[in-house]
Amino acid sequence: MSIAVLGSGAFGTALAIALCSGGREVTLWARDPATVTAMRETRRAPRLPEAPLPDSLTLTDNLAEAARAPVLLLSVPMQSLSSLLGQIDDDLDGTALVACCKGIDLASMTGPSGVIATAKPQAVPAVLTGPSFAKDIAAGLPTALTLACAEADWAQDLQRQLSTRSLRLYRSDDMVGAELGGALKNVIAIACGAAIGAGLGDSARAALLTRGFAEMMRIAEHMGARAETLNGLCGLGDLTLTCTSDLSRNYRLGLALGRGTDFNPNLTVEGAATAQALAKIAETTALDLPICTTVAHLVTGALSVSQALDALISRPLKEE
Ligand SMILES: NC(=O)C1=CN([C@@H]2O[C@H](COP(=O)(O)OP(=O)(O)OC[C@H]3O[C@@H](n4cnc5c(N)ncnc54)[C@H](O)[C@@H]3O)[C@@H](O)[C@H]2O)C=CC1
Ligand SMILES: O=C(CO)COP(=O)(O)O
């Protein structure tokens, strides 16, 4: 059984480490040859330096070679997925492309499964998502994720191939629901971080998390996802983790905005772009998305934290 992970960031590295258990043949691809050389020498990856790379893990900067594996885990940031797939000449007929990124592509306004379907229509798209920090997966701590694939045989096969003793995958055929859960929770996590950073307290965070989840459900229904999917690991599960942990970069961006402190611009914060996509959707549909649109204005600086909170709190009273 051979698997290639494309993208050597924190998440790709963690997945590659976890999958090396159980005798799988795993390759980790990074785009930068110098990074690959350094990883070979140090057996560490720059975005997850605390985790040693197993001896059995193959490291490469050769994309065409890595892409020959029958299962490819796509672990680059959402806005880079389309360009990554465009660099692979092969049409990947019958290859399983498992998206591990969380967000909405701003160019196509679709999630990862839509990007895959456009770039590689002959491939089998799937989504791996749910509450999990790279650090925990790499350390072998217990983690449960959603593996979504519309093709039943593939879903079962991938679930088996990608589960380990510490990584427990639940199966779903609702790819849109699974990928929306992962994308949308990041936006709500920014809002929750901002509330805590501004000193508004845990009760305000619980309100944002719950009303944010109501917005996630509205968007999911509009996009044809099933409510039960969002109630699972990839929706409610990941929302809970990301809105309550300092390990989350989305939450930490919110904290920095709330506190008025600096934030490292080199960190991957998927919720910032996803919020812009949601603001566009709110503009062009009748969907009521006050928290998501407020976050969109907050991250661009169009609203200050106090203006954002005023805008939310002064909305007309309504039924829950
Ligand atoms: N870090 C985590 O705990 C988790 C991350 N994710 C998701 O995984 C995705 C990737 O995130 P991280 O690995 O954390 O990010 P990261 O910031 O640690 O790494 C991103 C990696 O992608 C590479 N990259 C960027 N553009 C590229 C391109 N065009 N071609 C090839 N490589 C490119 C960068 O060089 C870097 O190695 C995100 O969508 C994130 O939401 C999902 C679950 C957990
Ligand atoms: O998706 C994640 C946890 O499930 C990681 O969260 P951040 O991208 O906010 O760090």
Side-chain angles (χ1 to χ4, degrees):
M1 171 189 334
S2 140
I3 296 166
V5 181
L6 306 185
S8 68
F11 198 42
T13 302
L15 289 170
I17 291 172
L19 291 169
C20 278
S21 66
R24 296 174 189 81
E25 227 177 78
V26 185
T27 298
L28 178 61
W29 170 82
R31 62 177 162 175
D32 176 23
T35 302
V36 173
T37 305
M39 286 197 297
R40 283 190 186 129
E41 278 165 12
T42 61
R43 300 309 289 179
R44 303 272 162 169
R47 294 269 174 164
L48 199 62
E50 64 270 39
L53 303 177
D55 291 342
S56 64
L57 178 64
T58 303
L59 300 164
T60 184
D61 59 12
N62 187 327
L63 183 57
E65 206 173 279
R68 282 191 208 118
V71 176
L72 303 183
L73 267 51
L74 309 173
S75 190
V76 294
M78 184 66 229
Q79 306 307 321
S80 300
L81 180 60
S82 173
S83 80
L84 169 68
L85 292 173
Q87 289 165 50
I88 302 173
D89 291 334
D90 196 294
D91 64 7
L92 302 179
D93 189 359
T95 300
L97 298 185
V98 184
C100 304
C101 37
K102 297 177 176 174
I104 296 177
D105 174 53
L106 287 172
S108 61
M109 292 293 281
T110 65
S113 66
V115 171
I116 293 171
T118 303
K120 300 289 174 196
Q122 325 268 41
V124 180
V127 174
L128 181 62
T129 184
S132 57
F133 288 124
K135 189 173 162 291
D136 296 342
I137 290 183
L141 298 177
T143 312
L145 297 176
T146 303
L147 183 279
C149 180
E151 296 186 29
D153 289 352
W154 268 105
Q156 288 202 1
D157 195 32
L158 288 170
Q159 181 185 31
R160 248 192 329 267
Q161 290 201 47
L162 302 177
S163 290
T164 71
R165 279 179 61 80
S166 54
L167 203 57
R168 180 174 168 80
L169 304 195
Y170 287 79
R171 204 170 59 237
S172 167
D173 60 4
D174 182 8
M175 283 200 293
V176 173
E179 66 189 14
L180 276 176
L184 305 181
K185 62 84 189 177
N186 283 332
V187 179
I188 309 304
I190 296 174
C192 288
I196 294 294
L200 302 185
D202 290 340
S203 305
R205 169 172 44 193
L208 284 166
L209 191 156
T210 311
R211 295 311 303 162
F213 187 57
E215 291 186 28
M216 289 171 62
M217 287 301 224
R218 266 175 231 144
I219 299 163
E221 189 189 2
H222 175 77
M223 305 270 196
R226 293 203 301 270
E228 76 209 41
T229 312
L230 275 284
N231 280 325
L233 290 162
C234 61
L236 187 56
D238 211 355
L239 180 71
T240 309
L241 178 72
T242 316
C243 293
T244 59
S245 171
D246 284 358
L247 285 183
S248 159
R249 296 159 296 189
N250 286 279
Y251 180 73
R252 288 208 308 272
L253 170 63
L255 278 180
L257 290 167
R259 290 174 181 153
T261 53
D262 288 341
F263 187 80
N264 178 354
N266 297 322
L267 291 179
T268 300
V269 181
E270 297 283 27
T274 303
Q276 306 312 315
L278 298 178
K280 254 193 224 169
I281 291 170
E283 239 174 65
T284 53
T285 64
L287 286 181
D288 187 27
L289 306 176
I291 299 173
C292 294
T293 46
T294 301
V295 170
H297 297 318
L298 191 60
V299 295
T300 58
L303 280 184
S304 68
V305 174
S306 63
Q307 285 169 329
L309 294 166
D310 280 351
L312 287 175
I313 219 101
S314 61
R315 281 166 42 84
L317 297 174
K318 54 182 278 202
E319 274 191 346
E320 185 167 19

